Amino acid sequence: MRLVQHAVQLALLAFTVPSVYAASWGFSDATVSVQAKGAGVGAGFQEKIQENAPLSKVVSLGGSDTLKLALTAQEGRSAKRPHQAFLLLKDPETGLDISYPFSVKDNGKAKVELTQKDLPVQFLRASHPVDAEIVLGSFGSSKAYRNVAFQLSIDRDPNVPVPSANAERYGKLPEIHHIFKPDPKSPPLIVTLIFVLMVLTALPILLATWLLLGANLNHLPVALKSAPVPHAVFVGSIIGLEGIFFMYYTTWNLFQTLPVALAVGAIAYLSGSRALSEVLERRLAGLR
């Protein structure tokens, strides 16, 4: 009885193991098309490609043509995104090859486009078709796919010279001369003088307004006697801030102005708080 059970288990294992490891990469819904520049939609060459069945026709790529290859990558029968997917062009005589990666989505749909400008000089000088292979693969136990999909013929314009095979593709580029925006300049002197005159004119008006509102200058000696340092430092910091703004307007830049302005502003805040406290004490005492 046990012998029969072991035999059944081995038979089931023999059937299940190939189903697990027989999965391989492939594709479906593959089409190759060649469309000339300026041609309408659907114009030009277009053929469907079957898996493991190269096209019998040679695909020709002209100087103004664009070759487009679209497919849906599959692992087994499920559409998936492979880790590697590219179109491999290979010269069967010299063995020279170059790959062009597909643009692949998560649902396995992939496409690649190329023109003669994307081909190396050696392929442009070839007088025979080159093999176009589709390569799909990823991590895991699934077997990668690589097979010839079609043959590609490069049709060069006889009036356009072929670049030399020894031409340097990667070399020194021309020197770039950067043109920076000039530093901002202060307004003309006449504009500065006009604004200074406006400020100086506003000072008497400000003093007259204070007197009309009831400013009592008789308390000035009392304030200086009660808290001489806070009042003097506060007024001095206000004058210092005006001097900082003048230096920024004339010669200083922002990085020179900010540290000094922050330091003087902190002093003005501390001394002003103490000076206002002294004013509040006098008001609470009934002195105005």
Side-chain angles (χ1 to χ4, degrees):
M1 187 67 180
R2 292 183 178 179
L3 183 61
V4 175
Q5 291 178 353
H6 287 303
V8 173
Q9 292 176 356
L10 291 174
L12 292 175
L13 184 63
F15 282 106
T16 57
V17 170
S19 64
V20 173
Y21 291 98
S24 61
W25 283 95
F27 61 86
S28 63
D29 302 330
T31 57
V32 58
S33 61
V34 178
Q35 189 174 13
K37 184 177 181 180
V41 179
F45 174 86
Q46 184 173 352
E47 286 288 339
K48 291 187 177 181
I49 302 175
Q50 301 296 328
E51 190 176 315
N52 298 318
L55 287 180
S56 58
K57 300 179 181 179
V58 177
V59 180
S60 299
L61 181 64
S64 60
D65 296 342
T66 300
L67 184 141
K68 300 181 181 180
L69 177 60
L71 55 85
T72 301
Q74 293 181 332
E75 185 180 15
R77 295 183 179 180
S78 302
K80 290 185 179 180
R81 181 178 182 176
H83 178 254
Q84 291 185 343
F86 51 87
L87 175 67
L88 180 70
L89 300 184
K90 184 176 181 180
D91 191 332
E93 295 185 2
T94 63
L96 178 67
D97 61 35
I98 184 172
S99 59
Y100 299 92
F102 279 91
S103 174
V104 190
K105 297 182 179 179
D106 293 336
N107 57 4
K109 293 187 179 295
K111 64 178 181 179
V112 64
E113 299 182 4
L114 60 92
T115 62
Q116 286 193 7
K117 295 180 180 180
D118 303 319
L119 301 176
V121 178
Q122 291 80 0
F123 278 67
L124 297 177
R125 299 174 66 90
S127 59
H128 52 275
V130 297
D131 295 334
E133 302 180 5
I134 296 177
V135 181
L136 303 171
S138 189
F139 301 107
S141 58
S142 299
K143 184 180 178 181
Y145 177 87
R146 177 177 177 179
N147 204 351
V148 177
F150 55 89
Q151 286 191 317
L152 181 64
S153 175
I154 313 300
D155 296 340
R156 291 283 303 175
D157 187 353
N159 298 323
V160 178
V162 180
S164 174
N166 297 325
E168 186 178 21
R169 299 180 62 189
Y170 305 99
K172 183 178 179 181
L173 297 177
E175 183 180 359
I176 300 177
H177 296 279
H178 296 281
I179 301 176
F180 296 96
K181 184 179 179 180
D183 295 334
K185 297 181 179 180
S186 300
L189 181 60
I190 184 63
V191 178
T192 304
L193 293 176
I194 291 174
F195 279 93
V196 170
L197 183 61
M198 292 172 61
V199 172
L200 295 177
T201 305
L203 289 178
I205 300 175
L206 178 62
L207 293 176
T209 305
W210 284 350
L211 294 176
L212 290 176
L213 294 176
N216 191 356
L217 297 180
N218 295 327
H219 283 197
L220 182 59
V222 178
L224 294 177
K225 183 178 180 180
S226 301
V229 176
H231 286 290
V233 174
F234 177 70
V235 175
S237 61
I238 297 298
I239 298 175
L241 285 174
E242 296 295 335
I244 292 172
F245 293 148
F246 175 77
M247 294 299 297
Y248 175 67
Y249 184 79
T250 54
T251 56
W252 284 3
N253 55 36
L254 188 62
F255 296 101
Q256 294 173 311
T257 304
L258 285 179
V260 183
L262 290 175
V264 176
I267 295 174
Y269 174 78
L270 296 175
S271 60
S273 300
R274 182 65 188 89
L276 290 177
S277 299
E278 189 276 332
V279 174
L280 181 60
E281 292 175 359
R282 285 189 285 110
R283 289 189 175 184
L284 293 177
L287 301 176
R288 295 180 58 85

